[in-house]
Amino acid sequence: MLGHLRLDGKPIEFRQKEEKFPAKFTLPNGELFSRNEPAKIGQKSVWLVGKITRVLSGSLRLQDFPGRQEELIVRLYEQRGDAFVELLDGLFFIAIYDADEKKFGLYNNRYQASNLYYYSDASVLVFGKSLADVIRLLPSKPEIHKGSVLNFISNGFTSSDQTQIVGVRKLLPTSFISVKDGEVKVANSWHKEFSFQRKPFDDLETHLDRYELIYRGGLEDYFAQTRPNELGSLLSGGHDTSFAFIQGSKVHKKPLHAFTATFPGWAFDEGEYAKNIATKFGGIFHSIPFQPEHLDYMLDVIRSTEEPIVGTCLPTHLCALEASKYVDTMIAGDGGDTVWAEYHPVAEFHKYIRHLPRWGRQATHQLSKFLVKATDWERFWELEHVASLFTKENFYDDFMRRLCTYRHFHDDFQKSLFVDDFIGSTEISRSSMELEFNEKNFEEMLIEAKLINGFYCYQSFHTTKSFEHFNVNFYLPTIHKELMTFITSLPQEWVNGGSSFDRLTNSKKTNRLFHKKALQRYLKKEEIYNRSFDIPWYRILRPRTELLRVLLRRLKERGWYKEESLDNLFDEFSRQTVKDHELLELKHHGYRIFTLLSLELWCS
């Protein structure tokens, strides 16, 4: 869908031209192109991209509108106005033209930030699925948004909805745009998504049954609308992908294909773990080795996502390429870490440090820096990063973005990297839906803010874009409203329990205890594997010496960076020692070099 509206105050009137594909609708003040003919229901024209999988409340039921989901949309719209979209679940995007009201609306679902780019000023609204299309219709020459560049550099993904093009934004989950009388309004209903009403329960087995029933229910709803023929799953063998694969194999009647990015020769290679799960549940296993030569696929990934890419996107893109040869639909466990409170050590640390005066918090940070030098232990590297976040006077401000800088370029690092003319008074772009932390909501916000200010613009965005590029449907069963409501209602001891020391050290004995009990219905304890998906960039980048040489030269030619800082960064990277049993996310420059490479390729 692609649209261009001039906001001159004239009423919007759609007149369909004779062209059949793509459908073109002319307006006195603009035009709209769509691959889908709208459904005309009374005085409403409705475009539906994707599928509605469930009506969450109200008297209307999805099954009463077989093959007529647009009619359901109109009925709800007439009852609830713009709030109708809150009642619908699924992966969809909706546009409505209301001829009675002379009003046009664009409505996103609650899970995706990948459906629409838009630009708006006092005179024009431009919107489209493709960033390239939106840029083409801009009223002036596109310019680089420095604040968004800094945002990407800080996290390795763009946590803000502001893209690297001035004025062009992504439409975030639960958001909608309405146009009437020449006025554009952007709003959202995110505040209604989470309640965190944790409450005790009596019967563990009954509660586990409920968990599995909700999980499979989401899969069944999605499959009922998309009707997959061959189903695949991204599979690492970890908590979330294993559970997705197991439950998918229960719902889908054919053997599932499992696709695993492997890293031959690396201590954290996940191939054997994933193969064990796939074999145990009758799957067809596909190993996709990720090697230095696969860096050559980066241009294809950036073309498909249209934005600088995150470090994990490249091997995932290769999995999507391979999957497209065998399946039409994919599932994955992405988002599980977020919903199951992956940052609980940070929440526990906050309990101890929140009441200290600033000098006490600064002293704690200095102690953590000493422990790093004395031990070189990764847990102390993590502690040093977290402790540094609390040295600010108002440490709650911009907390999520600063937390996610741990393996990329934190704010002080950026100041030493960029030339003064670039960074100057530029402020790092912040999301229009940035959630605020405070002392009372801190633990809950580490989940909620990570979703909207992290996950939906991070792994979910790029993985969805890669599968769309290869025409493969993609669904995340954990990122499902009813399931997330269930998880966030569990007592804390069943999410991340144990002693304070257990929580601070992320003890595998007590974290995600409820989810592990569900997995133990199918797996032995030794088969339950817990690790995030990370890339050994030191092994991937170091052999590509010519690529690194050219990258360094191109970065200097770009003019954004201090040459001495670049030289130091690349020199340190070439000399940093590596221990196979360490992830090296914080103390190694691998992710940082990849981030610069990704941004430079996108700029080119």
Side-chain angles (χ1 to χ4, degrees):
M1 184 177 293
L2 175 64
H4 179 269
L5 304 180
R6 292 195 303 277
L7 307 176
D8 55 8
K10 295 180 181 179
I12 298 174
E13 296 179 2
F14 282 81
R15 296 191 299 272
Q16 184 174 355
K17 283 194 171 183
E18 293 181 358
E19 293 96 336
K20 292 186 177 180
F21 183 80
K24 180 178 180 180
F25 300 84
T26 62
L27 305 88
N29 53 353
E31 59 189 16
L32 181 145
F33 294 87
S34 174
R35 290 183 175 274
N36 302 322
E37 291 281 347
K40 189 72 185 290
I41 303 170
Q43 292 296 97
K44 314 291 190 303
S45 297
V46 180
W47 291 261
L48 171 62
V49 180
K51 294 288 186 180
I52 296 164
T53 55
R54 182 177 293 191
V55 179
L56 298 178
S57 63
S59 58
L60 299 178
R61 302 183 305 167
L62 185 62
Q63 57 265 38
D64 293 334
F65 298 86
R68 300 179 290 123
Q69 293 196 344
E70 290 87 352
E71 185 178 339
L72 168 65
I73 290 168
V74 169
R75 292 276 297 277
L76 290 173
Y77 175 80
E78 290 173 342
Q79 292 178 8
R80 299 287 298 271
D82 290 331
F84 83 94
V85 73
E86 299 170 23
L87 303 181
L88 301 178
D89 209 26
L91 304 181
F92 58 79
F93 186 80
I94 297 169
I96 298 177
Y97 169 60
D98 185 339
D100 287 331
E101 296 290 329
K102 295 294 189 288
K103 176 183 174 183
F104 181 61
L106 298 161
Y107 304 88
N108 198 12
N109 66 65
R110 56 176 37 87
Y111 305 120
Q112 294 175 310
S114 54
N115 283 324
L116 195 79
Y117 292 100
Y118 69 96
Y119 169 91
S120 177
D121 61 22
S123 62
V124 69
L125 168 68
V126 177
F127 57 90
K129 173 75 171 180
S130 165
L131 178 60
D133 283 340
V134 171
I135 291 174
R136 180 169 54 84
L137 293 177
L138 291 179
S140 59
K141 183 178 179 180
E143 298 179 11
I144 291 290
H145 193 289
K146 293 181 179 179
S148 189
V149 169
L150 298 180
N151 185 291
F152 173 75
I153 285 290
S154 72
N155 299 106
F157 69 94
T158 308
S159 62
S160 169
D161 51 322
Q162 168 62 59
T163 70
Q164 282 75 35
I165 303 298
V166 171
V168 180
R169 293 180 175 272
K170 292 192 282 276
L171 193 65
L172 295 178
T174 75
S175 295
F176 61 91
I177 300 173
S178 62
V179 187
K180 185 177 182 181
D181 298 329
E183 184 179 3
V184 177
K185 293 182 179 180
V186 182
N188 70 81
S189 58
W190 180 262
H191 64 286
K192 301 178 181 180
E193 289 298 297
F194 288 92
S195 59
F196 292 98
Q197 296 179 354
R198 299 194 182 278
K199 49 187 178 294
F201 58 85
D202 296 324
D203 189 331
L204 174 60
E205 292 303 316
T206 299
H207 228 52
L208 289 171
D209 288 341
R210 176 67 178 158
Y211 179 49
E212 289 196 62
L213 184 67
I214 294 172
Y215 198 104
R216 288 200 293 269
L219 287 167
E220 289 165 352
D221 287 346
Y222 181 76
F223 293 164
Q225 297 301 324
T226 57
R227 301 189 182 280
N229 182 27
E230 294 293 338
L231 179 66
S233 177
L234 293 176
L235 181 62
S236 68
H239 281 178
D240 300 306
T241 61
S242 294
F243 200 67
F245 189 88
I246 292 167
Q247 299 301 329
S249 68
K250 285 181 167 292
V251 174
H252 193 63
K253 303 307 179 184
K254 295 182 179 180
L256 266 65
H257 293 260
F259 300 90
T260 303
T262 60
F263 305 95
W266 189 42
F268 288 92
D269 182 76
E270 298 172 327
E272 290 304 313
Y273 294 95
K275 185 177 181 180
N276 173 60
I277 299 297
T279 303
K280 189 166 187 173
F281 295 93
I284 304 166
F285 182 66
H286 304 264
S287 174
I288 297 95
F290 185 57
Q291 301 281 20
E293 59 266 25
H294 292 122
L295 284 168
D296 295 339
Y297 281 86
M298 281 190 64
L299 281 175
D300 186 56
V301 190
I302 290 174
R303 289 191 186 105
S304 67
T305 59
E306 300 189 283
E307 296 188 27
I309 63 171
V310 300
T312 55
C313 186
L314 183 52
T316 302
H317 190 78
L318 294 175
C319 287
L321 170 61
E322 186 67 13
S324 67
K325 302 173 185 176
Y326 300 93
V327 305
D328 54 87
T329 302
M330 285 285 288
I331 60 175
D334 296 18
D337 282 349
T338 298
V339 181
W340 284 99
E342 63 185 308
Y343 290 137
H344 60 275
V346 181
E348 193 68 17
F349 185 78
H350 169 259
K351 292 178 182 177
Y352 291 98
I353 205 168
R354 59 184 171 174
H355 294 307
L356 292 179
R358 189 178 186 186
W359 66 263
R361 289 180 268 122
Q362 290 172 330
T364 302
H365 181 223
Q366 291 302 315
L367 174 61
S368 68
K369 292 172 73 173
F370 169 77
L371 292 172
V372 166
K373 290 182 179 180
T375 68
D376 197 36
W377 188 32
E378 280 197 306
R379 283 287 178 262
F380 286 144
W381 278 85
E382 293 170 350
L383 173 63
E384 189 277 327
H385 172 69
V386 172
S388 72
L389 304 176
F390 291 92
T391 59
K392 287 184 62 174
E393 185 65 39
N394 178 13
F395 51 79
Y396 294 117
D397 181 55
D398 197 20
F399 188 85
M400 180 53 63
R401 182 195 62 82
R402 293 189 299 116
L403 175 61
C404 291
T405 63
Y406 63 99
R407 59 189 177 192
H408 295 93
F409 294 92
H410 57 70
D411 295 358
D412 289 339
F413 205 153
Q414 290 189 37
K415 292 175 183 177
S416 68
L417 178 67
F418 286 92
V419 297
D420 294 341
D421 288 344
F422 184 88
I423 202 164
S425 59
T426 302
E427 294 186 2
I428 298 174
S429 64
R430 297 170 73 155
S431 175
S432 63
M433 287 172 60
E434 182 178 321
L435 301 186
E436 296 181 1
F437 284 74
N438 58 52
E439 183 178 334
K440 293 182 179 180
N441 74 7
F442 189 84
E443 191 161 355
E444 295 173 353
M445 202 54 64
L446 285 170
I447 299 172
E448 188 176 348
K450 175 61 188 300
L451 276 172
I452 190 66
N453 300 144
F455 179 75
Y456 289 137
C457 293
Y458 167 50
Q459 198 65 38
S460 171
F461 175 83
H462 292 87
T463 306
T464 298
K465 285 286 190 179
S466 284
F467 280 106
E468 285 180 348
H469 180 66
F470 295 111
N471 297 311
V472 176
N473 295 319
F474 183 59
Y475 177 68
L476 298 174
T478 306
I479 303 303
H480 173 227
K481 183 173 176 59
E482 188 179 2
L483 189 73
M484 291 191 288
T485 299
F486 177 89
I487 295 172
T488 55
S489 73
L490 292 173
Q492 193 60 50
E493 62 267 24
W494 284 102
V495 179
N496 291 297
S499 66
S500 181
F501 181 78
D502 289 330
R503 293 191 292 273
L504 281 170
T505 57
N506 197 16
S507 170
K508 295 181 180 180
K509 295 179 180 179
T510 57
N511 67 11
R512 303 179 62 162
L513 186 58
F514 186 88
H515 184 67
K516 288 176 183 174
K517 291 291 185 182
L519 278 170
Q520 286 170 14
R521 289 180 160 188
Y522 304 96
L523 301 174
K524 300 175 183 176
K525 286 187 177 182
E526 59 269 22
E527 293 178 302
I528 299 175
Y529 176 56
N530 182 20
R531 190 179 72 79
S532 59
F533 181 48
D534 294 291
I535 315 298
W537 285 115
Y538 56 93
R539 288 188 178 272
I540 302 299
L541 286 165
R542 275 183 173 174
R544 300 297 299 268
T545 54
E546 179 61 15
L547 182 149
L548 293 173
R549 185 189 67 79
V550 172
L551 173 61
L552 179 58
R553 174 175 59 79
R554 292 283 293 273
L555 292 172
K556 290 179 178 179
E557 292 172 352
R558 177 67 51 190
W560 293 353
Y561 313 96
K562 296 175 183 176
E563 293 192 7
E564 183 179 358
S565 296
L566 287 174
D567 286 333
N568 290 338
L569 182 72
F570 278 70
D571 182 59
E572 287 179 9
F573 177 61
S574 68
R575 292 184 290 103
Q576 286 172 323
T577 57
V578 176
K579 300 174 184 178
D580 279 347
H581 65 279
E582 292 181 322
L583 295 178
L584 298 164
E585 291 181 322
L586 286 81
K587 61 183 180 178
H588 198 272
H589 291 323
Y591 272 90
R592 299 181 184 104
I593 298 291
F594 179 86
T595 300
L596 292 173
L597 172 62
S598 176
L599 180 61
E600 182 57 29
L601 286 173
W602 180 83
C603 289
S604 301

